[in-house]
Amino acid sequence: MKRIRGLLVFFMTTFFLNAQSQQAEGVLSKWKYLNDANSAVYKYFAGQAFQMLDKRERNLAAIQSKKGWLERQSRTKKILSEVVGSFPAKTPLNPVVTGVAEKDGVRVEKLYFESLPGYYVTAAFFVPANRKGKLPVILFCSGHSKSGFRSRGYQRSILNFVKKGFAVLAFDPIGQGERRQYLNNELRSKFGPTQEHSYPGNQHFLLGRSPAYHFIWDGIRAIDYLYSRPEIDTARIGIAGRSGGGTQTAYIAAFDNRIKAAAPECYVTSYEKLIMTQGPQDAEQNFVNGIYEGLDIGDLVIAFAPKPMLLVTTTRDIFNIQGARDVFKEAKRAYTWLGKPDGLEMVEDDADHANTPKNSEATYRFFQKNLANPGQAAPVEVSYFEESELNVTSTGNVYTSLKGHNLHSLAALYLKEVLQKRNPVKNEADLKARVIEVTGYRQEPDTETPFFSGRTQGEAYHVESYLQKSITGSYFPFYRLTPVHPPAKKSIVLLLDENGKDIAIQEGGSADSLAKLGYEVIVPDLTGFGEIAAGYIKGGDSWVDRVPNNLWYTGILVKQSLLGVRMQELSSLINWLSEDNSRIETIAKGILTTDLLHLAVMQSNKIASVLLIDPLVSYQSVIEEANYKTSYVLSGVPGMIAQYDIDDLINSLSDKMRVLLVNPRNGAGESLNALNQNNIVSLRRKVKVKYENASFKFLDNWYLQDRQ
């Protein structure tokens, strides 16, 4: 017991020292054949996606009747409803027109409505100034522009529709235009639209719900508003949008039967081609377990069949053109069997992710034909409104003018519902079952023995290099530090350092300090850390705070998790270490504390103690904090809050082993103290917590009690 006390005290005094000696060479760099480790987890998720998509494709290929396609369509709509979630009862829209503008024969009413109580949607209703009779209308969905529908690219399309005799209702998606959520946030004020979606969208994912839920609901309520307008012929409602607006167009059309014709632009492709190229995009473009449940992007088209739809595409789009062609070919079969082979059309132009004159003309012609509004289809020159002329609120931002809810506050509200419905964890077996269900973890019966990759001798200890097979099919590296004069009673420390193993073994580093105390230390680089920290996908629509959320989203689509992968990797190490009945002490810092806790619950019979440095105390706090630490989500899993939280893991372990938390943190990464800690989690008395100002006497007293 004295050795354990020395371990903790000395470890805590040296853990935060800067590394000062030689740079480690790493392990994987010597194995040229294994240089795919950084892409392995993405390819692992992708491989599962391809298998699921292949199964779906075979199922669709077997459909050879109208009845079969109607059944498939019904099943698709049911799955879409399940993965998005049940929408709430409709509440009063309380629309308010704040102003009118007119230019070049176009009249605009600037307005807002409440798609949910206190959740304001800013919009503009465009009509021909000299309108006669009831008009067909286009619900226009804006793509990822900071100014929303006010950008000239989107105004060009909107005003052309009006010039051709259509009314247009254009609304701001959340995070864009006057609904930007982080303008006054010092930490997040530079967020673009995709980050405005993904950052709070992650909080919704943790609750088991895609933020697409709110994007779709805003569109449904916008159609409700159109039904209140006397100028509108509600039998002639169309929907169009480009990029992110194309996503909304495909979504809303699949969910709202009142739409008669749809033209998603620069979005529709196949998941296979998306995964092979850009990877999953920002949060609302991903459904929880979407691919796992048998869906592809093309199912949005099939759900709309046989009503008229035009796929508007470009050959150099970020949304792969071959995928768009594949969707068109597949969905064309559904339209044919459902009796409207000409109901699905596709136009493509040689361009990047952009609107072109050719595609614009095809879009106008499509709606003129299918909404019974004939005329000249060619684009015309328009007189643009200044962005400020189309502002609905006095400040140009709904949150400074009207306050109200944003995606984060809606997540916090939904959190309360989830917690009220969550059943308390009954016992250890119940908790393990929940962990398995959430993470996808499964304990392999046999563990492949790691292979030796070299040794460096030192005065106090030797460093051995190893590679261990990962569930991804690649290998992850680890070091084994063995003291020159090992103690008589063998004890091994499994150390997870979020800074990576090469930093840990430098002088004054965590592993170096432990080895000099006489402990044998195993320090790995698990997937996402150290030598394999790249995560394959860099940049893109979901790169927030240098964290590859899109890698996380890939796992979400196939009901897998980065946490589950690392649990499997840790399990293989623990299985190997326990072969000779060694006593295994475990230590983790920062992000990896959550991973260690999950694995310790599943393998508690093989672990003697758990020491957590800077641990996140709850995922509840990640949802409650407006400025949560983005990297925490990589050890989270959609829907976990509905099953358990971190305190459940800690409390379960405290019944079987010593557990110590040092400097616990909330979802924002801020250090807690004894007072506010109790407001966030409920820890059992036997769980020991050391706060920033705690003295080492605290540890002495703890171990003295253990020895008595």
Side-chain angles (χ1 to χ4, degrees):
M1 189 59 67
K2 291 181 178 180
R3 289 191 52 76
I4 303 300
R5 182 186 64 182
L7 160 65
L8 291 171
V9 174
F10 194 87
F11 176 78
M12 290 171 59
T13 61
T14 58
F15 195 98
F16 302 102
L17 294 178
N18 294 326
Q20 299 175 355
S21 65
Q22 75 228 6
Q23 294 293 324
E25 296 181 4
V27 181
L28 280 168
S29 60
K30 300 174 182 178
W31 297 84
K32 306 304 180 185
Y33 182 73
L34 302 178
N35 62 3
D36 65 339
N38 274 306
S39 63
V41 69
Y42 181 66
K43 291 182 178 178
Y44 173 66
F45 290 156
Q48 294 181 65
F50 297 153
Q51 291 178 17
M52 296 170 189
L53 293 169
D54 285 346
K55 179 180 179 181
R56 172 191 173 276
E57 185 177 351
R58 291 193 300 271
N59 290 338
L60 264 62
I63 302 175
Q64 299 293 330
S65 68
K66 179 178 180 179
K67 179 183 177 183
W69 278 106
L70 287 172
E71 290 175 349
R72 171 68 198 191
Q73 187 179 59
S74 176
R75 179 174 178 271
T76 294
K77 290 181 178 180
K78 182 176 183 293
I79 295 173
L80 282 169
S81 178
E82 289 172 351
V83 299
V84 171
S86 299
F87 290 119
K90 291 183 178 180
T91 51
L93 288 169
N94 300 323
V96 176
V97 175
T98 63
V100 177
E102 190 168 324
K103 182 177 293 187
D104 190 25
V106 178
R107 185 175 186 274
V108 186
E109 291 186 17
K110 300 176 287 184
L111 62 105
Y112 63 83
F113 60 85
E114 296 176 62
S115 67
L116 294 167
Y119 188 51
Y120 299 102
V121 179
T122 44
F125 183 60
F126 297 78
V127 294
N130 59 348
R131 70 176 183 83
K132 295 180 180 179
K134 293 208 169 190
L135 301 172
V137 64
I138 304 297
L139 179 62
F140 189 85
C141 304
S142 301
H144 292 102
S145 164
K146 285 186 177 181
S147 55
F149 59 81
R150 299 161 196 76
S151 73
R152 290 208 165 191
Y154 294 134
Q155 276 199 58
R156 183 171 59 247
S157 297
I158 293 168
L159 297 174
N160 259 278
F161 275 120
V162 179
K163 290 290 186 180
K164 299 178 192 307
F166 293 88
V168 177
L169 178 63
F171 65 98
D172 284 325
I174 187 68
Q176 298 171 234
E178 291 179 82
R179 299 178 77 195
R180 294 182 65 192
Q181 305 159 100
Y182 296 96
L183 280 178
N184 297 324
N185 185 313
E186 292 183 6
L187 294 174
R188 310 294 175 190
S189 61
K190 294 182 180 179
F191 271 0
T194 58
Q195 295 162 319
E196 286 255 1
H197 297 169
S198 294
Y199 184 71
N202 291 343
Q203 295 170 312
H204 287 262
F205 278 132
L206 290 172
L207 290 164
R209 174 186 282 175
S210 168
Y213 176 95
H214 291 291
F215 285 77
I216 296 168
W217 187 241
D218 284 351
I220 291 172
R221 299 314 314 273
I223 296 172
D224 290 340
Y225 175 74
L226 287 174
Y227 265 66
S228 73
R229 298 293 308 211
E231 308 95 325
I232 298 304
D233 180 354
T234 56
R236 292 188 290 165
I237 298 177
I239 187 169
R242 183 168 68 256
S243 186
T247 307
Q248 295 170 69
T249 297
Y251 283 2
I252 298 165
F255 276 84
D256 199 310
N257 291 327
R258 296 172 293 179
I259 296 171
K260 306 305 179 185
E265 181 176 1
C266 290
Y267 163 66
V268 172
T269 186
S270 68
Y271 271 135
E272 179 189 54
K273 298 304 187 293
L274 179 67
I275 290 170
M276 285 182 172
T277 53
Q278 298 292 317
Q281 300 300 292
D282 57 324
E284 83 279 6
Q285 297 190 6
N286 303 283
F287 295 134
V288 176
N289 302 337
I291 295 177
Y292 176 84
E293 294 294 347
L295 294 177
D296 200 344
I297 295 172
D299 282 304
L300 298 169
V301 181
I302 292 171
F304 193 68
K307 291 186 289 185
M309 178 175 283
L310 174 68
L311 305 184
V312 187
T313 66
T314 53
T315 59
R316 302 191 302 276
D317 194 4
I318 58 173
F319 294 102
N320 180 263
I321 186 61
Q322 184 58 57
R325 291 177 174 181
D326 293 344
V327 168
F328 177 75
K329 180 180 178 181
E330 176 185 85
K332 192 74 166 178
R333 293 185 60 239
Y335 272 80
T336 300
W337 279 108
L338 295 175
K340 295 290 182 66
D342 297 329
L344 181 64
E345 304 176 53
M346 179 172 171
V347 61
E348 62 181 50
D349 200 1
D350 295 328
D352 296 318
H353 186 66
N355 177 251
T356 70
K358 174 186 174 181
N359 285 351
S360 294
E361 182 170 345
T363 302
Y364 303 141
R365 183 180 299 109
F366 168 80
F367 284 113
Q368 287 170 329
K369 170 187 172 183
N370 291 292
L371 297 182
N373 189 33
Q376 174 57 251
V380 299
E381 293 297 320
V382 296
S383 297
Y384 296 101
F385 290 88
E386 295 298 325
E387 289 186 12
S388 58
E389 292 182 273
L390 296 178
N391 278 348
V392 176
T393 62
S394 59
T395 63
N397 184 269
V398 72
Y399 297 108
T400 54
S401 292
L402 303 174
K403 310 304 180 184
H405 288 298
N406 57 22
L407 278 180
H408 166 252
S409 64
L410 289 177
L413 282 177
Y414 187 45
L415 170 67
K416 294 179 181 178
E417 292 182 37
V418 170
L419 293 178
Q420 286 175 353
K421 295 177 181 178
R422 186 172 77 188
N423 294 321
V425 175
K426 299 176 183 177
N427 49 42
E428 182 183 12
D430 180 30
L431 179 58
K432 286 184 176 181
R434 297 187 191 201
V435 168
I436 290 171
E437 171 61 26
V438 168
T439 66
Y441 169 82
R442 63 182 187 276
Q443 186 172 341
E444 302 293 343
D446 297 312
T447 298
E448 186 173 309
T449 301
F451 57 82
F452 183 54
S453 183
R455 180 188 295 115
T456 300
Q457 296 189 4
E459 293 182 4
Y461 60 87
H462 307 319
V463 179
E464 297 178 344
S465 302
Y466 290 86
L467 286 175
Q468 174 68 49
K469 188 74 173 285
S470 169
I471 191 175
T472 65
S474 186
Y475 291 80
F476 66 94
F478 68 90
Y479 292 140
R480 182 174 190 168
L481 283 60
T482 55
V484 174
H485 303 292
K489 188 175 181 181
K490 190 173 185 180
S491 186
I492 297 177
V493 176
L494 175 60
L495 168 67
L496 308 181
D497 192 328
E498 65 179 358
N499 296 313
K501 67 181 187 339
D502 290 336
I503 298 298
I505 68 167
Q506 293 183 7
E507 185 175 349
S510 53
D512 171 74
S513 301
L514 291 169
K516 287 177 179 175
L517 276 172
Y519 283 89
E520 181 177 347
V521 183
I522 305 294
V523 52
D525 279 341
L526 302 177
T527 290
F529 294 87
E531 285 191 75
I532 46 179
Y536 191 58
I537 301 180
K538 283 191 173 183
D541 283 351
S542 305
W543 190 254
V544 182
D545 296 339
R546 301 184 63 81
V547 175
N549 291 271
N550 39 17
L551 184 63
W552 192 54
Y553 298 160
T554 311
I556 286 175
L557 286 168
V558 296
K559 201 178 179 182
Q560 290 290 333
S561 65
L562 294 168
L563 171 61
V565 168
R566 291 196 290 264
M567 286 175 67
Q568 296 291 156
E569 292 172 344
L570 278 173
S571 179
S572 66
L573 282 180
I574 288 177
N575 288 343
W576 174 61
L577 292 174
S578 61
E579 287 177 355
D580 60 357
N581 297 316
S582 297
R583 179 186 179 89
I584 303 174
E585 315 285 349
T586 61
I587 301 172
K589 180 180 184 295
I591 303 166
L592 288 170
T593 56
T594 303
D595 301 66
L596 176 58
L597 280 170
H598 276 82
L599 192 278
V601 165
M602 301 308 299
Q603 297 239 37
S604 57
N605 60 319
K606 298 179 180 179
I607 295 174
S609 67
V610 171
L611 169 62
L612 307 175
I613 310 293
D614 296 336
L616 171 66
V617 293
S618 75
Y619 272 95
Q620 176 180 334
S621 69
V622 172
I623 296 168
E624 291 172 337
E625 292 288 343
N627 289 313
Y628 74 90
K629 186 176 178 180
T630 310
S631 55
Y632 283 147
V633 303
L634 299 186
S635 289
V637 186
M640 67 186 309
I641 298 295
Q643 297 295 331
Y644 61 89
D645 208 339
I646 291 174
D647 59 331
D648 292 303
L649 304 175
I650 294 172
N651 289 334
S652 175
L653 290 174
S654 69
D655 290 333
K656 306 189 73 173
M657 66 185 72
R658 299 182 319 283
V659 180
L660 172 63
L661 281 62
V662 178
N663 195 22
R665 296 176 179 271
N666 65 13
E670 301 165 335
S671 297
L672 300 174
N673 56 44
L675 180 63
N676 59 27
Q677 165 79 5
N678 293 330
N679 294 329
I680 294 180
V681 292
S682 177
L683 297 177
R684 293 179 184 168
R685 295 184 64 181
K686 61 178 68 176
V687 177
K688 302 304 179 182
V689 183
K690 181 186 187 318
Y691 301 101
E692 276 188 306
N693 298 323
S695 67
F696 291 125
K697 186 177 181 181
F698 176 89
L699 289 175
D700 291 334
N701 292 336
W702 182 29
Y703 283 108
L704 282 172
Q705 292 171 5
D706 280 351
R707 287 197 296 271
Q708 293 174 355

